[in-house]
Amino acid sequence: MRILLITYGLPWPPHSGGRIREYNIIKRLSEKHEVDLLSFVHTEQEWNTDCSELHKYCGIVKKVWVRDSIFLRIKRAILSVFLLMPSNCIKHMSRKFDNAFIELVTAGAYNYDAVQIEDLVLAFYYKIAKKYSNAHILLTLDNIESIRYRRLADQTKNLLRKALYSWQSLMYMRYERRIIKYFDILITVSLDGQKYARRMTSKPIIVVPNGVDMSQYRINSINYSHSDANLLLFTGLMNYVPNEDAMLYFCRDIFPLIRGNVPNAKLVMHYN
Protein backbone atom coordinates (compact mmCIF):
# COMPACT_ATOMS: atom_id res chain seq x y z
CA MET A 1 0.00 0.00 0.00
CA ARG A 2 0.97 3.63 -0.47
CA ILE A 3 0.02 5.76 2.52
CA LEU A 4 0.01 9.53 2.99
CA LEU A 5 0.34 10.53 6.65
CA ILE A 6 -0.77 14.02 7.65
CA THR A 7 0.46 15.35 10.99
CA TYR A 8 -0.10 18.40 13.19
CA GLY A 9 3.65 18.84 13.68
CA LEU A 10 6.85 17.38 12.31
CA PRO A 11 7.40 14.00 14.03
CA TRP A 12 11.14 14.58 14.35
CA PRO A 13 12.88 14.83 16.69
CA PRO A 14 10.55 12.58 18.73
CA HIS A 15 10.72 14.49 22.02
CA SER A 16 7.03 14.55 22.99
CA GLY A 17 4.26 11.97 23.25
CA GLY A 18 2.53 12.76 19.95
CA ARG A 19 5.78 12.94 17.99
CA ILE A 20 7.07 9.70 19.48
CA ARG A 21 3.86 7.95 18.48
CA GLU A 22 3.82 9.36 14.94
CA TYR A 23 7.51 8.67 14.35
CA ASN A 24 7.11 5.04 15.38
CA ILE A 25 3.93 4.64 13.32
CA ILE A 26 5.87 5.87 10.27
CA LYS A 27 8.79 3.59 11.10
CA ARG A 28 6.60 0.48 11.45
CA LEU A 29 4.35 1.21 8.48
CA SER A 30 7.39 1.66 6.26
CA GLU A 31 8.42 -1.96 6.90
CA LYS A 32 5.59 -3.18 4.66
CA HIS A 33 4.23 -0.08 2.91
CA GLU A 34 5.34 3.06 1.09
CA VAL A 35 4.82 6.11 3.30
CA ASP A 36 4.82 9.83 2.48
CA LEU A 37 4.51 12.63 5.05
CA LEU A 38 2.81 16.04 4.96
CA SER A 39 3.27 18.07 8.15
CA PHE A 40 2.50 21.47 9.56
CA VAL A 41 5.38 23.18 11.35
CA HIS A 42 4.89 25.98 13.88
CA THR A 43 8.36 27.42 14.55
CA GLU A 44 11.46 28.43 12.63
CA GLN A 45 13.41 25.72 14.45
CA GLU A 46 10.92 23.11 13.29
CA TRP A 47 11.03 24.50 9.74
CA ASN A 48 14.83 24.19 9.68
CA THR A 49 14.89 20.70 11.18
CA ASP A 50 17.01 18.18 9.28
CA CYS A 51 14.57 15.55 7.98
CA SER A 52 17.17 12.96 6.93
CA GLU A 53 15.95 10.58 9.65
CA LEU A 54 12.38 10.79 8.34
CA HIS A 55 13.60 10.22 4.78
CA LYS A 56 14.83 6.79 5.90
CA TYR A 57 11.18 5.76 6.13
CA CYS A 58 9.31 8.28 3.93
CA GLY A 59 9.62 8.71 0.20
CA ILE A 60 8.37 12.31 0.46
CA VAL A 61 8.51 14.71 3.42
CA LYS A 62 6.68 18.03 2.91
CA LYS A 63 6.37 20.82 5.46
CA VAL A 64 4.00 23.79 5.59
CA TRP A 65 4.67 26.58 8.10
CA VAL A 66 1.62 27.94 9.92
CA ARG A 67 2.55 31.37 11.27
CA ASP A 68 1.06 33.00 14.34
CA SER A 69 0.62 36.47 15.82
CA ILE A 70 -1.58 38.34 18.30
CA PHE A 71 -3.64 39.70 15.40
CA LEU A 72 -4.20 36.20 14.00
CA ARG A 73 -5.19 34.89 17.44
CA ILE A 74 -7.84 37.61 17.79
CA LYS A 75 -9.04 36.90 14.25
CA ARG A 76 -9.33 33.17 15.03
CA ALA A 77 -11.29 33.86 18.21
CA ILE A 78 -13.80 35.95 16.27
CA LEU A 79 -14.08 33.40 13.46
CA SER A 80 -14.54 30.63 16.00
CA VAL A 81 -17.71 32.35 17.20
CA PHE A 82 -19.13 32.90 13.73
CA LEU A 83 -18.09 29.56 12.22
CA LEU A 84 -18.83 27.55 15.38
CA MET A 85 -15.47 25.83 15.02
CA PRO A 86 -12.56 25.32 17.44
CA SER A 87 -10.00 28.11 17.07
CA ASN A 88 -7.14 25.62 16.66
CA CYS A 89 -8.87 24.19 13.57
CA ILE A 90 -9.22 27.68 12.10
CA LYS A 91 -5.52 28.28 12.81
CA HIS A 92 -4.63 25.39 10.49
CA MET A 93 -6.80 26.44 7.56
CA SER A 94 -4.03 27.11 5.06
CA ARG A 95 -4.13 27.63 1.30
CA LYS A 96 -0.49 26.54 1.13
CA PHE A 97 -1.39 23.30 2.88
CA ASP A 98 -4.38 22.85 0.55
CA ASN A 99 -2.09 23.18 -2.46
CA ALA A 100 0.56 20.84 -1.06
CA PHE A 101 -2.10 18.23 -0.24
CA ILE A 102 -3.76 18.51 -3.66
CA GLU A 103 -0.39 18.27 -5.40
CA LEU A 104 0.37 15.00 -3.62
CA VAL A 105 -2.98 13.27 -4.08
CA THR A 106 -3.39 14.28 -7.71
CA ALA A 107 0.09 13.27 -8.88
CA GLY A 108 -0.45 10.06 -10.84
CA ALA A 109 2.84 8.59 -9.64
CA TYR A 110 1.66 8.44 -6.02
CA ASN A 111 -1.88 7.02 -6.26
CA TYR A 112 -2.44 6.67 -2.51
CA ASP A 113 -4.37 3.74 -1.11
CA ALA A 114 -4.87 5.47 2.24
CA VAL A 115 -4.69 8.98 3.67
CA GLN A 116 -4.23 8.97 7.43
CA ILE A 117 -4.87 12.25 9.29
CA GLU A 118 -3.17 12.14 12.67
CA ASP A 119 -5.10 14.84 14.54
CA LEU A 120 -8.72 15.88 14.93
CA VAL A 121 -7.64 19.52 14.42
CA LEU A 122 -6.80 18.67 10.79
CA ALA A 123 -9.85 16.48 10.17
CA PHE A 124 -11.52 19.02 7.87
CA TYR A 125 -8.85 18.22 5.26
CA TYR A 126 -10.78 15.01 4.55
CA LYS A 127 -12.55 17.05 1.84
CA ILE A 128 -9.42 17.20 -0.31
CA ALA A 129 -8.79 13.47 -0.01
CA LYS A 130 -12.39 12.69 -0.98
CA LYS A 131 -12.46 15.16 -3.87
CA TYR A 132 -9.11 14.37 -5.46
CA SER A 133 -8.47 10.68 -4.69
CA ASN A 134 -10.08 7.30 -4.17
CA ALA A 135 -8.02 6.60 -1.07
CA HIS A 136 -9.46 5.24 2.17
CA ILE A 137 -9.44 8.06 4.71
CA LEU A 138 -8.44 7.41 8.33
CA LEU A 139 -8.53 9.71 11.35
CA THR A 140 -6.56 9.26 14.56
CA LEU A 141 -8.20 10.56 17.75
CA ASP A 142 -5.20 10.72 20.05
CA ASN A 143 -7.23 12.93 22.39
CA ILE A 144 -10.96 13.43 22.81
CA GLU A 145 -10.71 17.21 22.77
CA SER A 146 -14.26 17.96 23.92
CA ILE A 147 -13.68 15.91 27.08
CA ARG A 148 -10.20 17.36 27.63
CA TYR A 149 -11.48 20.95 27.55
CA ARG A 150 -14.47 20.08 29.71
CA ARG A 151 -12.11 18.70 32.35
CA LEU A 152 -10.00 21.84 32.15
CA ALA A 153 -13.12 23.94 32.68
CA ASP A 154 -14.10 21.83 35.70
CA GLN A 155 -10.64 22.12 37.27
CA THR A 156 -9.89 25.84 36.90
CA LYS A 157 -11.10 28.41 39.40
CA ASN A 158 -10.46 31.31 37.04
CA LEU A 159 -13.87 32.33 35.70
CA LEU A 160 -12.55 33.68 32.40
CA ARG A 161 -10.59 30.49 31.71
CA LYS A 162 -13.57 28.41 32.77
CA ALA A 163 -15.73 30.22 30.19
CA LEU A 164 -13.10 29.86 27.44
CA TYR A 165 -12.53 26.16 28.15
CA SER A 166 -16.27 25.51 28.26
CA TRP A 167 -16.70 27.27 24.90
CA GLN A 168 -13.91 25.24 23.32
CA SER A 169 -15.37 22.03 24.74
CA LEU A 170 -18.73 22.86 23.14
CA MET A 171 -17.07 23.74 19.82
CA TYR A 172 -15.09 20.51 19.79
CA MET A 173 -18.17 18.47 20.63
CA ARG A 174 -20.07 19.97 17.68
CA TYR A 175 -17.04 19.55 15.44
CA GLU A 176 -16.49 15.90 16.43
CA ARG A 177 -20.11 14.98 15.76
CA ARG A 178 -20.09 16.78 12.43
CA ILE A 179 -16.77 15.55 11.04
CA ILE A 180 -16.15 11.98 12.26
CA LYS A 181 -18.84 10.42 10.07
CA TYR A 182 -16.88 11.27 6.92
CA PHE A 183 -13.97 8.94 7.70
CA ASP A 184 -13.75 5.32 6.57
CA ILE A 185 -11.81 4.19 9.65
CA LEU A 186 -11.14 5.79 13.04
CA ILE A 187 -8.11 5.07 15.22
CA THR A 188 -8.16 5.69 18.97
CA VAL A 189 -5.46 5.15 21.58
CA SER A 190 -7.75 3.65 24.22
CA LEU A 191 -10.93 1.66 24.70
CA ASP A 192 -12.52 4.73 26.31
CA GLY A 193 -11.81 6.70 23.15
CA GLN A 194 -13.27 3.91 21.06
CA LYS A 195 -16.41 3.84 23.19
CA TYR A 196 -16.83 7.62 22.86
CA ALA A 197 -16.33 7.59 19.08
CA ARG A 198 -18.80 4.71 18.68
CA ARG A 199 -21.62 7.11 19.62
CA MET A 200 -20.92 9.12 16.46
CA THR A 201 -20.22 6.53 13.76
CA SER A 202 -20.86 2.95 12.75
CA LYS A 203 -17.59 2.82 10.78
CA PRO A 204 -14.70 0.59 11.98
CA ILE A 205 -12.83 1.94 15.02
CA ILE A 206 -9.39 0.45 15.72
CA VAL A 207 -7.57 0.84 19.04
CA VAL A 208 -3.83 1.40 18.60
CA PRO A 209 -2.48 2.03 22.12
CA ASN A 210 0.70 3.90 22.88
CA GLY A 211 3.73 1.77 23.62
CA VAL A 212 7.48 1.82 24.17
CA ASP A 213 10.11 0.73 21.67
CA MET A 214 12.32 -1.23 24.05
CA SER A 215 15.07 -1.55 21.42
CA GLN A 216 15.82 2.14 22.09
CA TYR A 217 16.54 1.56 25.78
CA ARG A 218 19.04 -0.44 27.78
CA ILE A 219 19.60 -1.17 31.45
CA ASN A 220 22.37 1.03 32.82
CA SER A 221 25.29 -0.89 34.22
CA ILE A 222 25.77 1.55 37.11
CA ASN A 223 25.46 -0.07 40.54
CA TYR A 224 22.85 1.92 42.37
CA SER A 225 23.01 2.32 46.11
CA HIS A 226 20.30 0.77 48.27
CA SER A 227 18.75 4.22 48.72
CA ASP A 228 18.09 4.35 44.96
CA ALA A 229 16.54 0.91 44.75
CA ASN A 230 12.95 2.23 44.93
CA LEU A 231 13.30 5.22 42.65
CA LEU A 232 10.39 6.25 40.40
CA LEU A 233 10.99 8.41 37.33
CA PHE A 234 8.52 10.58 35.45
CA THR A 235 9.59 12.15 32.16
CA GLY A 236 7.32 14.24 29.99
CA LEU A 237 6.21 17.71 28.94
CA MET A 238 4.75 19.68 31.81
CA ASN A 239 3.37 22.45 29.59
CA TYR A 240 0.79 19.86 28.52
CA VAL A 241 -2.10 20.21 30.97
CA PRO A 242 -3.09 16.48 31.11
CA ASN A 243 0.49 15.61 32.16
CA GLU A 244 0.47 18.29 34.83
CA ASP A 245 -2.92 17.13 36.08
CA ALA A 246 -1.78 13.50 36.13
CA MET A 247 1.31 14.24 38.20
CA LEU A 248 -0.59 16.43 40.66
CA TYR A 249 -3.03 13.56 41.11
CA PHE A 250 -0.19 11.04 41.44
CA CYS A 251 1.67 13.11 44.05
CA ARG A 252 -1.49 13.92 46.01
CA ASP A 253 -3.33 10.58 45.98
CA ILE A 254 -1.07 7.77 44.76
CA PHE A 255 2.48 8.41 45.94
CA PRO A 256 1.49 8.58 49.64
CA LEU A 257 0.04 5.06 49.30
CA ILE A 258 3.33 3.86 47.81
CA ARG A 259 5.33 5.51 50.58
CA GLY A 260 3.04 3.85 53.11
CA ASN A 261 4.25 0.45 51.87
CA VAL A 262 7.73 1.43 50.70
CA PRO A 263 8.94 4.21 53.04
CA ASN A 264 12.19 4.86 51.14
CA ALA A 265 10.47 5.27 47.75
CA LYS A 266 11.56 8.38 45.87
CA LEU A 267 10.06 10.22 42.94
CA VAL A 268 12.11 12.12 40.36
CA MET A 269 10.36 14.29 37.77
CA HIS A 270 12.37 15.13 34.65
CA TYR A 271 10.47 17.41 32.33
CA ASN A 272 10.63 20.35 29.93
Side-chain angles (χ1 to χ4, degrees), residues 193-205:
Q194 182 188 50
K195 184 178 179 181
Y196 179 84
R198 178 55 65 207
R199 304 173 190 170
M200 295 174 280
T201 182
S202 59
K203 303 285 182 64
I205 304 174

Side-chain angles (χ1 to χ4, degrees), residues 26-44:
I26 290 170
K27 189 175 178 180
R28 298 308 176 194
L29 284 175
S30 69
E31 294 174 0
K32 295 184 178 181
H33 308 286
E34 296 176 83
V35 181
D36 293 334
L37 176 67
L38 176 59
S39 293
F40 272 107
V41 297
H42 302 83
T43 64
E44 185 175 357

Side-chain angles (χ1 to χ4, degrees), residues 2-270:
R2 192 171 188 101
I3 301 169
L4 175 60
L5 204 72
I6 297 176
T7 61
Y8 178 88
L10 194 68
W12 184 264
H15 54 49
S16 64
R19 294 186 179 198
I20 292 170
R21 177 185 173 90
E22 289 163 359
Y23 170 71
N24 281 282
I25 285 174
I26 290 170
K27 189 175 178 180
R28 298 308 176 194
L29 284 175
S30 69
E31 294 174 0
K32 295 184 178 181
H33 308 286
E34 296 176 83
V35 181
D36 293 334
L37 176 67
L38 176 59
S39 293
F40 272 107
V41 297
H42 302 83
T43 64
E44 185 175 357
Q45 180 181 6
E46 198 176 14
W47 177 255
N48 293 325
T49 296
D50 179 8
C51 294
S52 56
E53 179 68 21
L54 292 172
H55 278 293
K56 292 179 182 179
Y57 311 108
C58 300
I60 296 170
V61 176
K62 281 198 171 188
K63 299 181 283 186
V64 176
W65 191 347
V66 56
R67 299 180 183 272
D68 202 8
S69 67
I70 294 175
F71 169 75
L72 290 174
R73 291 177 187 178
I74 295 171
K75 180 180 176 181
R76 289 198 302 269
I78 295 171
L79 286 174
S80 178
V81 173
F82 285 99
L83 298 179
L84 296 178
M85 243 180 123
S87 59
N88 206 17
C89 296
I90 296 171
K91 176 181 178 180
H92 289 84
M93 290 179 174
S94 163
R95 186 165 296 176
K96 288 184 179 180
F97 200 87
D98 285 348
N99 294 336
F101 194 174
I102 292 170
E103 180 183 345
L104 284 172
V105 296
T106 56
Y110 305 144
N111 196 24
Y112 293 108
D113 299 291
V115 173
Q116 184 167 326
I117 299 176
E118 279 291 303
D119 200 295
L120 177 69
V121 165
L122 309 179
F124 58 88
Y125 282 107
Y126 82 90
K127 296 177 182 179
I128 291 177
K130 279 193 176 294
K131 182 176 180 179
Y132 293 100
S133 79
N134 295 316
H136 295 287
I137 310 174
L138 296 78
L139 173 65
T140 297
L141 298 173
D142 53 349
N143 287 311
I144 306 299
E145 297 292 345
S146 58
I147 294 177
R148 184 164 77 90
Y149 276 97
R150 188 180 70 214
R151 288 174 177 169
L152 290 174
D154 291 341
Q155 291 165 5
T156 186
K157 295 180 180 178
N158 183 297
L159 294 181
L160 178 58
R161 286 186 177 181
K162 185 181 288 290
L164 291 172
Y165 289 149
S166 296
W167 172 257
Q168 286 300 308
S169 175
L170 177 60
M171 290 302 97
Y172 270 112
M173 186 180 299
R174 291 172 59 93
Y175 179 64
E176 289 160 357
R177 291 176 178 175
R178 188 169 69 245
I179 206 99
I180 281 176
K181 62 185 178 183
Y182 294 109
F183 288 85
D184 299 309
I185 298 173
L186 295 180
I187 300 170
T188 65
V189 300
S190 69
L191 292 173
D192 285 343
Q194 182 188 50
K195 184 178 179 181
Y196 179 84
R198 178 55 65 207
R199 304 173 190 170
M200 295 174 280
T201 182
S202 59
K203 303 285 182 64
I205 304 174
I206 303 169
V207 178
V208 181
N210 292 326
V212 177
D213 183 358
M214 294 305 296
S215 67
Q216 300 299 307
Y217 299 88
R218 62 183 176 83
I219 299 175
N220 200 312
S221 59
I222 296 174
N223 292 321
Y224 292 101
S225 65
H226 179 71
S227 63
D228 291 328
N230 296 305
L231 185 67
L232 301 175
L233 172 66
F234 168 83
T235 177
L237 294 174
M238 289 303 282
N239 61 355
Y240 182 54
V241 176
N243 285 355
E244 179 186 356
D245 179 53
M247 288 312 297
L248 288 172
Y249 170 71
F250 180 84
C251 293
R252 182 183 65 245
D253 295 341
I254 304 300
F255 195 53
L257 300 177
I258 296 174
R259 291 291 294 269
N261 289 276
V262 185
N264 66 337
K266 296 180 180 178
L267 172 65
V268 174
M269 296 174 62
H270 182 273

